[in-house]
Amino acid sequence: MFNKPLQQPVGVAAGSIATIRIPAEEFTLVGIKLALGGTTFDKTKIDRVRVKVGPRVIWDLTYAQLNAVNNYKNGADSSKYLMLDWTERTQAIFPVKEVGGLDLMTLLPIGEVFVEIYINATAVAPTISGVGYFEQRQGNPWVLKYLAFPFAQASAGKFTLPISLRGALLKRVWLFYTGTNYTATTNGNASRVEVKKNGLVMFDQSDLDNRFDQAQFKKVPQANVFVVDFIVDDNHDAHVATIRNTQSGQVYDSFEFNTFLTDVGGGTINAVVEVLDVPTNL
């Protein structure tokens, strides 16, 4: 891996959207480090980060969501830096750990890569500089995506989330929920998640059990987040296929993501799927 400065972002101002263009080169982009400065500006004053390939949005995360993702994966945490990471740092097998990186020349027929940084209006004289981390070309059309499927419910109970996968390779489902947070000995409002594939249960854990497994494998559970992590042990073969071959051709698998809310008033769940997918699918 090597790194080099990215183009200077345009539109860096309080209440604006700063944009970094990543021109096509004979490399695969595997990470971006945003260094933040100014009179009053740190990563808490970034409202949202979006990554696009041409017109296609492949990342759409609030700052709080992106920070929770990085911290869950045990990344470095500094108020003056924000990391966008397309790799599985702790996966031992190379180059599998970097599948999902953006092969810039392969993606060029769809468009160049752009990063949009939504700056909060309370920032004062913000500055942003970006450093890109690159590898040799993968020739891989798949990219890592973070895509949101929001859901709101006004009562406690079991609810099926409106998630569509359309053949993408599933790594994790991040459930950012409102309401009661967990404690060391109790479940949070999202107290249990059950996942079914073609009618068969493939994941069913309480919040407490799930967090124990994550800590066992050196992940860091985050407040008000339930992570359904199919590669929690860093086994790349545990990615979940969502399409299958039949005598009639390829068919999308059927999934149920059932979430159990315990707060009387229900709550809001912002479900974010982390998948490997071609840019033009989901």
Side-chain angles (χ1 to χ4, degrees):
M1 180 190 299
F2 69 95
N3 66 78
K4 64 176 181 174
L6 299 176
Q7 289 187 358
Q8 189 65 27
V10 298
V12 180
S16 296
I17 302 173
T19 302
I20 301 176
R21 171 178 170 256
I22 314 292
E25 298 182 87
E26 294 281 344
F27 301 118
T28 294
L29 178 68
V30 295
I32 292 176
K33 179 176 67 180
L34 300 176
L36 313 173
T39 304
T40 308
F41 183 52
D42 59 30
K43 67 182 181 180
T44 65
K45 291 181 172 56
I46 292 176
D47 292 335
R48 179 175 295 275
V49 174
R50 301 176 92 195
V51 180
K52 294 180 177 179
V53 178
R56 307 288 301 202
V57 176
I58 63 169
W59 283 35
D60 190 358
L61 295 170
T62 67
Y63 151 71
Q65 290 170 344
L66 178 54
N67 198 56
V69 167
N70 288 341
N71 288 344
Y72 170 83
K73 296 181 180 182
N74 213 4
D77 191 357
S78 168
S79 63
K80 289 298 184 181
Y81 295 93
L82 188 60
M83 190 72 187
L84 284 65
D85 192 354
W86 280 268
T87 72
E88 289 292 337
R89 291 181 302 105
T90 55
Q91 207 166 81
I93 300 175
F94 182 86
V96 172
K97 66 185 297 177
E98 294 178 349
V99 170
L102 307 184
D103 186 310
L104 300 174
M105 293 304 294
T106 298
L107 296 176
L108 188 55
I110 301 168
E112 291 185 320
V113 175
F114 291 86
V115 179
E116 295 179 345
I117 304 141
Y118 290 61
I119 302 174
N120 191 275
T122 61
V124 179
T127 64
I128 301 174
S129 60
V131 171
Y133 295 85
F134 298 88
E135 286 284 3
Q136 298 304 312
R137 286 198 59 187
Q138 293 179 348
N140 184 4
W142 286 34
V143 298
L144 179 68
K145 293 184 180 180
Y146 289 98
L147 300 175
F149 294 87
F151 173 85
Q153 179 59 42
S155 62
K158 173 185 174 181
F159 307 100
T160 301
L161 301 178
I163 293 176
S164 174
L165 296 170
R166 290 180 50 84
L169 193 62
L170 179 61
K171 299 176 71 174
R172 299 178 180 92
V173 180
W174 304 80
L175 304 181
F176 300 90
Y177 63 88
T178 60
T180 303
N181 188 29
Y182 60 77
T183 70
T185 57
T186 63
N187 296 321
N189 184 23
S191 62
R192 173 187 163 202
V193 174
E194 174 194 63
V195 181
K196 294 182 179 180
K197 177 178 177 179
N198 299 326
L200 299 177
V201 175
M202 59 179 297
F203 179 97
D204 189 356
Q205 281 196 312
S206 72
D207 177 32
L208 195 60
D209 289 343
N210 192 39
R211 285 185 282 117
F212 177 86
D213 288 353
Q214 292 165 357
Q216 172 69 18
F217 291 105
K218 308 302 182 184
K219 304 302 186 291
V220 184
Q222 300 294 300
N224 285 96
V225 185
F226 191 117
V227 186
V228 180
D229 191 345
F230 294 106
I231 56 172
V232 67
D233 60 350
D234 300 318
N235 175 13
H236 69 280
D237 288 329
H239 296 117
V240 179
T242 67
I243 193 171
R244 67 187 188 277
N245 293 316
T246 70
Q247 291 182 346
S248 302
Q250 289 191 316
V251 176
Y252 293 136
D253 290 304
S254 173
F255 283 86
E256 288 181 43
F257 294 90
N258 297 316
T259 302
F260 296 75
L261 300 179
T262 56
D263 285 3
V264 173
T268 298
I269 295 179
N270 288 306
V272 174
V273 296
E274 181 181 352
V275 296
L276 296 173
D277 192 22
V278 294
T280 54
N281 184 34
L282 282 175

